[in-house]
Amino acid sequence: MTSGLLIVDVQNDFTEGGALGTQGGAAVAAAITEHLRTHRYALVAASRDWHDAEGDNGGHFAAGEPDFVDTWPAHCVAGTPGAEYHPALDALAIDVHIKKGQGKPAYSAFEGTTDDGETLAEVLEEQEIDQLDVVGIATDYCVKASALDAALAGISVRVIDRLTSAVSPETRATALDELRDAGVEVVTA
């Protein structure tokens, strides 16, 4: 099997102090960098929310009070510090950068594209990746959506739970159960 790593949305706005910070997000960024030093992958891809500065991004940004289900406060606006990778993540180890949510809601990295317009599915197929480890933020939203889409694409998927952070412990547990039910392997190491 040819294995790849997908790093989902390890961005400043999703770590402590960000617009939608998760508890432990900065530690996850550092732990992913350490993981990259000790594990070899044929391909390392990373996604980022990359929302438009103007408008509500297809209803994704709340005009008033967000419901934190379908609408959210403004976050990861293209070109702002919040949209950048967290500094503890070694961005030099990333082979492919995927931007998602440009003008519309997008949770899965499979909804995004490279700057050249390639989808993640196309990149993985070109590189013959048939096993994918998924890590990042947030376990209960974008990590879950990305891992489920990878499984639907016929890729063998593992989520490395200790290399993710979640919005809440309850939604994390539900997401991990959903992933297991869909045939995604959830591991701690």
Side-chain angles (χ1 to χ4, degrees):
M1 294 188 95
T2 305
S3 120
L5 178 70
L6 174 59
I7 303 167
V8 178
D9 301 356
V10 179
Q11 296 169 263
N12 291 322
D13 269 351
F14 295 138
T15 59
E16 294 84 352
L20 290 171
T22 60
Q23 185 175 4
V28 162
I32 292 170
T33 293
E34 185 57 35
H35 180 80
L36 286 166
R37 289 188 180 122
T38 58
H39 294 78
R40 295 289 169 243
Y41 291 95
L43 177 78
V44 176
S47 69
R48 284 188 285 178
D49 263 12
W50 201 256
H51 297 300
D52 293 344
E54 301 297 322
D56 68 358
N57 285 275
H60 193 60
F61 288 177
E65 194 64 32
D67 65 15
F68 296 97
V69 176
D70 296 311
T71 60
W72 305 90
H75 62 278
C76 299
V77 173
T80 67
E84 296 304 323
Y85 293 119
H86 188 277
L89 177 67
D90 181 4
L92 295 176
I94 300 167
D95 302 310
V96 175
H97 303 270
I98 302 288
K99 293 176 182 170
K100 62 186 181 65
Q102 296 166 300
K104 61 187 178 201
Y107 295 90
S108 171
F110 285 81
E111 296 175 85
T113 60
T114 66
D115 285 341
D116 293 333
E118 279 192 290
T119 66
L120 179 58
E122 290 168 339
V123 170
L124 295 175
E125 185 176 337
E126 286 169 9
Q127 298 296 315
E128 299 180 355
I129 303 298
D130 51 11
Q131 198 283 318
L132 191 65
D133 286 349
V134 181
V135 300
I137 305 172
T139 318
D140 30 7
Y141 289 93
C142 297
V143 169
K144 176 183 84 170
S146 299
L148 290 173
D149 280 353
L152 283 173
I155 299 168
S156 174
V157 184
R158 296 187 320 170
V159 170
I160 305 174
D161 186 40
R162 73 172 184 81
L163 299 179
T164 71
S165 65
V167 172
S168 79
E170 296 79 21
T171 54
R172 171 189 226 121
T174 300
L176 294 177
D177 286 342
E178 281 182 58
L179 289 165
R180 288 183 193 102
D181 289 347
V184 173
E185 184 181 3
V186 177
V187 298
T188 55

